[in-house]
Amino acid sequence: MKDKIFGVLQRIGRSFMLPIAILPVAGLLLGVGSSFTNATMIETYHLQAILGEGTILNSLLTIMSKAGSIIFDNLPIIFAVGVAIGMAKKEKEVAALAAMISFFVMNATMNAMLLIRGDLLADGTLGAGVLEGTVTSVCGIQTLQMGVFGGIIVGLGVAALHNKFYKIQLPNALSFFSGSRFVPIISTLTYVAVGIVLYFVWPTVQNGIYALGGLVTGTGYIGTLIFGVIKRALIPFGLHHVFYLPFWQTAVGGTMEVAGQLVQGGQNIFFAQLADPSTVHFSADATRYFSGEFIFMIFGLPGAALAMYQCAKPEKKKQAGGLLLSAALACMMTGITEPLEFSFLFVAPILFVVQVILAGSAYMIAHMLNIAVGLTFSGGFIDLFLFGILQGNAKTSWIRIIPVGIIYFFLYYIIFRTLILKLNLKTPGREDDDAETKLYTKADYKAKVDGNDADSENEMTPEDQKSALITRGLGGKKNISDVDCCATRLRCTVVKPELVNEDVLRMTSPSGIVRKGQGIQVIYGPAVSVIKSNLEDYLEKAPDVEYLPEENENSAEETNKCAETKDEAKKDENKTVVAGTVKKELCSPFTGVAAPIEEACDEAFAGKMMGDGYLVRPEEGMAYAPEDATVSFIFPSKHAVGLTSDDGTEYLLHIGVDTVNLDGKGFETFVNDGDRVKKGDKLIGFDIKYIQEHAKSDECMVVFTSLQEGEEIRMSKSGKVEKLEKTAEIVSLN
């Protein structure tokens, strides 16, 4: 149960990353726009001629400020859509649309309830006894003040409905509304009910949130310390997003009236004050949840990196220095700490304990010193410059970060150096002599492959090599149920945790690996989004298998198996024939030259990623039904047709390679979805010459997608074949 809860929280945390990712851009627009249109700043530096009202620059900066403000003003709907996308497993665009519709429906329902019950009058004013601040305008709808909680409620609920119903089959009379079309319908109906329920429930919840916010605020500096310690301690589990978001975006982080509006959440308060020219000093109570990060991210952790470098063995200092320098620079400039933190987290956990305590104290000290520097994503120099230095010391007290930061630099350096040397901790550069201080490279991967087969490696892209290793390390495609990422981590959910092989995953050069039940997190740093995209692309064509742990050690050659083996001797060796029982004889749908599918020029077909089969290099531009069957589908681009024979054999007839890009040009279909066909009936006509000129190849693939375990396709005739001539067999090896 605990592991299941962890998995859910992990998915919720990563779903927050999409809406959070827009905040740096919004903050940049708002920060620059507000800073350089501030009348006091313009007068102080005598910039009226350049930045004064009516100048082109002033107009441009005003537009930037408004563009940034609109994002912060509409965070609830942004979170609704973003969380739905993050939590949906498939067809995420449908979940996004359903979330947007549901968000409007829920708030319109609450607006109607407010009017019906007299809490809101027809002229838009509040009824008697309704407290100021409990009703607000959201996207032009007067509704209950829910902040981003409203968006999160919609996002999570719609995602749950989407994952449950996006494949639903309805009766024939309603079949048009089956599948993904049903999701917006059920979501709309559900959120009418949710809006009604929330009208009665939310005031109580709101009072509880205000009470919790008052409790946090009332604990003063100790509360800030506790917040900082908990947030940093949750980093290894990837749950810190779930923890800090309420403090940043809801009344848990406090409330304040800014420019006549009640604002909730520490980050929202800061940006409201940033947009308000009358602000004298930003609220340190609001920024207590992030100001301290500048102290340990820009100063503290680089001190730890220096300590680790100086403690490295002389022969490994150069290698360790390169890794630690790049990680320290990333930490200082962008506030991404995980490359550094994970460099010592697993090899020396005591150092992470020190980091948690020192980082937590940095939050408290910043609060005590009235430092009020905001941020959008993380506490690096970029945010310090935008929301501290540019805003002026009078508003932020940012200058105090420097002396405190210097003290923290030496604290980290001294404590880390002392512990590393005293306890002989295996930080980067201090590994055993037989372990290298470097990330695994392509050469390391090549050495791991059985036989060090250069041809095998060269025929897969580096991206696919890495994705193949990740897939194998996670136990195979069949063992992977979900793939996603946050800012630095590849977050995967697996079916069988025991199949995960960390040794294989480490070959992909992660900063660290976190396992908790079915949740697996592999830390790669800021490039993780590209790794995730490459992995998703690879999984679409990867074989649907699972790998046992002992197989992971010796099966790397299969991972890199290419579309066509160039070594003829090796090809002959691999063609050892195993006796089997012929279950079915297969006739060719094409006239041409038949060959094993391993000879296909397309790696996906040659690697049997879509199924076993054979190919025909056509001499006639017509595909015929190889036996009596039902047309399962015709691709919109007309280049492929699916068939199901009367005995259940499922075919895919694919004409040419990359012909989907032809958009149907050069093709003519003679059947439709659901048609019954007889053996020899025409299915698709195609222009061989046009395909040869405009596509990668004219090879026609005959792929069997319903083979059972232990079944394979064997050629009974290669070379020249006529349409409907017996060409291959389904053979059972069981």
Side-chain angles (χ1 to χ4, degrees):
M1 174 63 75
K2 290 181 180 178
D3 290 345
K4 187 173 182 180
I5 293 173
F6 175 86
V8 172
L9 289 175
Q10 176 178 275
R11 289 183 62 204
I12 292 173
R14 72 183 178 226
S15 73
F16 290 163
M17 286 307 300
L18 182 58
I20 287 174
I22 192 61
L23 297 185
V25 176
L28 178 66
L29 292 170
L30 181 58
V32 173
S34 298
S35 299
F36 290 101
T37 55
N38 185 285
T40 303
M41 190 276 289
I42 293 172
E43 290 175 8
T44 301
Y45 296 102
H46 308 291
L47 298 174
Q48 290 88 344
I50 301 174
L51 299 176
E53 284 192 29
T55 62
I56 295 176
L57 273 179
N58 184 274
S59 300
L60 179 60
L61 290 165
T62 300
I63 292 171
M64 291 174 62
S65 178
K66 294 293 184 183
S69 293
I70 198 66
I71 293 174
F72 285 101
D73 292 344
N74 291 283
L75 280 177
I77 191 170
I78 292 172
F79 268 85
V81 175
V83 171
I85 292 173
M87 293 293 289
K89 294 180 178 178
K90 294 287 184 181
E91 300 191 36
K92 295 175 179 284
E93 67 280 0
V94 177
L97 176 63
M100 184 178 67
I101 294 170
S102 299
F103 183 82
F104 287 127
V105 167
M106 180 185 76
N107 283 289
T109 301
M110 288 191 289
N111 174 265
M113 290 298 297
L114 289 169
L115 290 169
I116 292 169
R117 303 275 295 186
D119 298 321
L120 189 64
L121 304 181
D123 61 0
T125 58
L126 298 180
V130 179
L131 295 177
E132 290 286 343
T134 58
V135 175
T136 189
S137 178
V138 176
C139 297
I141 305 169
Q142 282 189 285
T143 182
L144 293 177
Q145 170 65 278
M146 298 179 68
V148 296
F149 274 133
I152 293 172
I153 289 170
V154 170
L156 293 177
V158 168
L161 293 170
H162 173 84
N163 292 336
K164 183 177 179 64
F165 292 116
Y166 79 97
K167 288 186 177 179
I168 190 173
Q169 293 292 325
L170 298 176
N172 289 338
L174 300 173
S175 60
F176 175 80
F177 301 104
S178 296
S180 60
R181 293 189 183 98
F182 184 72
V183 175
I185 297 172
I186 189 65
S187 298
T188 297
L189 297 175
T190 299
Y191 275 89
V192 170
V194 169
I196 296 172
V197 171
L198 284 176
Y199 168 80
F200 294 102
V201 171
W202 186 253
T204 303
V205 175
Q206 195 172 44
N207 289 336
I209 292 172
Y210 281 129
L212 178 60
L215 179 64
V216 173
T217 305
T219 54
Y221 304 135
I222 298 300
T224 307
L225 171 66
I226 294 171
F227 169 86
V229 167
I230 293 175
K231 181 184 176 185
R232 301 317 298 178
L234 289 175
I235 288 285
F237 307 103
L239 301 181
H240 49 299
H241 302 306
V242 180
F243 174 72
Y244 73 69
L245 189 72
F247 293 90
W248 282 22
Q249 298 294 333
T250 75
V252 174
T255 60
M256 182 177 292
E257 186 174 310
V258 182
Q261 297 290 324
L262 185 67
V263 183
Q264 301 179 350
Q267 191 179 55
N268 292 334
I269 291 171
F270 173 80
F271 281 106
Q273 290 185 322
L274 182 66
D276 180 13
S278 65
T279 300
V280 176
H281 193 285
F282 298 121
S283 169
D285 286 334
T287 61
R288 65 198 290 200
Y289 307 111
F290 33 79
S291 285
E293 294 186 6
F294 299 102
I295 296 172
F296 67 85
M297 289 183 180
I298 299 177
F299 296 94
L301 283 172
L306 178 61
M308 288 188 281
Y309 167 71
Q310 291 195 338
C311 292
K313 296 177 180 179
E315 66 273 16
K316 294 187 175 184
K317 268 195 173 184
K318 184 176 180 181
Q319 295 166 319
L323 293 174
L324 292 169
L325 178 62
S326 62
L329 288 174
C331 181
M332 293 173 68
M333 296 304 297
T334 67
I336 294 176
T337 63
E338 290 181 357
L340 268 181
E341 287 180 310
F342 279 92
S343 67
F344 58 76
L345 172 60
F346 296 107
V347 296
I350 190 172
L351 296 180
F352 186 73
V353 174
V354 172
Q355 150 67 358
V356 167
I357 295 171
L358 289 176
S361 66
Y363 287 91
M364 179 180 70
I365 290 172
H367 189 195
M368 293 171 67
L369 294 177
N370 202 36
I371 297 171
V373 180
L375 53 75
T376 56
F377 176 69
S378 202
F381 181 77
I382 295 174
D383 275 359
L384 175 63
F385 179 76
L386 288 174
F387 305 114
I389 298 173
L390 274 185
Q391 309 311 317
N393 188 60
K395 280 188 172 185
T396 62
S397 303
W398 70 268
I399 201 73
R400 297 175 185 175
I401 292 175
I402 295 177
V404 177
I406 292 172
I407 294 171
Y408 264 71
F409 176 88
F410 286 108
L411 270 177
Y412 271 81
Y413 174 79
I414 293 169
I415 295 174
F416 270 62
R417 183 181 173 88
T418 301
L419 289 175
I420 291 169
L421 295 176
K422 190 177 180 78
L423 303 178
N424 192 26
L425 301 176
K426 303 297 184 182
T427 50
R430 293 178 60 81
E431 302 90 351
D432 295 332
D433 292 338
D434 59 349
E436 291 184 276
T437 308
K438 66 172 186 176
L439 300 177
Y440 281 98
T441 65
K442 187 176 180 181
D444 299 316
Y445 168 75
K446 182 177 179 181
K448 184 73 175 179
V449 177
D450 270 358
N452 207 21
D453 187 345
D455 283 347
S456 202
E457 179 185 324
N458 290 338
E459 293 188 18
M460 283 186 79
T461 65
E463 293 79 11
D464 276 353
Q465 290 174 11
K466 190 166 190 172
S467 297
L469 282 173
I470 294 171
T471 301
R472 185 173 293 280
L474 293 173
K477 177 180 176 179
K478 194 173 183 179
N479 194 45
I480 301 172
S481 66
D482 186 60
V483 174
D484 212 319
C485 71
C486 66
T488 55
R489 305 159 185 244
L490 182 70
R491 300 168 179 256
C492 301
T493 304
V494 297
V495 180
K496 300 177 183 177
E498 64 271 19
L499 299 186
V500 175
N501 190 317
E502 292 189 21
D503 289 338
V504 175
L505 289 174
R506 288 192 185 97
M507 294 174 64
T508 63
S509 308
S511 300
I513 301 168
V514 180
R515 299 180 63 170
K516 184 69 174 177
Q518 293 177 293
I520 310 297
Q521 300 177 13
V522 191
I523 297 90
Y524 289 109
V528 70
S529 60
V530 176
I531 294 173
K532 176 219 171 194
S533 297
N534 290 335
L535 177 60
E536 288 179 330
D537 291 341
Y538 175 80
L539 288 175
E540 290 181 2
K541 59 186 179 182
D544 191 19
V545 298
E546 64 181 24
Y547 299 110
L548 299 178
E550 59 269 21
E551 294 176 333
N552 284 340
E553 293 291 337
N554 301 309
S555 301
E557 182 175 354
E558 293 178 22
T559 304
N560 253 359
K561 204 167 187 179
C562 60
E564 183 179 356
T565 307
K566 296 181 178 179
D567 188 333
E568 293 299 327
K570 189 171 181 178
K571 182 193 291 185
D572 293 338
E573 177 185 316
N574 290 340
K575 282 189 174 179
T576 302
V577 176
V578 180
T581 304
V582 177
K583 292 189 62 178
K584 183 174 183 175
E585 293 183 326
L586 305 167
C587 297
S588 173
F590 306 98
T591 296
V593 179
I597 200 165
E598 291 87 349
E599 295 183 14
C601 66
D602 181 80
E603 291 184 4
F605 287 111
K608 301 182 182 180
M609 295 175 185
M610 301 181 187
D612 202 355
Y614 60 94
L615 67 86
V616 178
R617 298 181 178 97
E619 295 178 354
E620 178 192 359
M622 185 62 67
Y624 299 90
E627 61 179 309
D628 294 353
T630 301
V631 178
S632 305
F633 57 84
I634 291 282
F635 272 75
S637 51
K638 304 178 185 179
H639 74 290
V641 57
L643 299 174
T644 303
S645 68
D646 292 344
D647 64 5
T649 304
E650 295 179 358
Y651 295 77
L652 172 66
L653 308 185
H654 192 286
I655 301 168
V657 177
D658 290 345
T659 43
V660 66
N661 299 322
L662 301 182
D663 293 327
K665 294 178 182 177
F667 294 92
E668 180 183 5
T669 57
F670 298 94
V671 292
N672 297 305
D673 292 359
D675 284 357
R676 285 282 302 162
V677 293
K678 296 290 186 182
K679 181 177 180 178
D681 285 352
K682 293 181 179 181
L683 301 176
I684 301 176
F686 52 96
D687 186 332
I688 297 176
K689 185 176 180 181
Y690 184 84
I691 292 173
Q692 290 173 341
E693 292 175 352
H694 296 88
K696 182 177 179 181
S697 171
D698 63 352
E699 291 177 347
C700 297
M701 315 297 171
V702 185
V703 180
F704 298 84
T705 57
S706 61
L707 296 182
Q708 303 300 310
E709 186 174 351
E711 292 181 351
E712 65 177 32
I713 301 299
R714 287 187 187 167
M715 302 294 296
S716 58
K717 181 179 181 181
S718 295
K720 182 67 179 351
V721 295
E722 297 292 334
K723 65 181 181 183
L724 309 183
E725 184 177 356
K726 292 178 181 178
T727 306
E729 302 166 337
I730 298 178
V731 177
S732 174
L733 305 179
N734 296 324

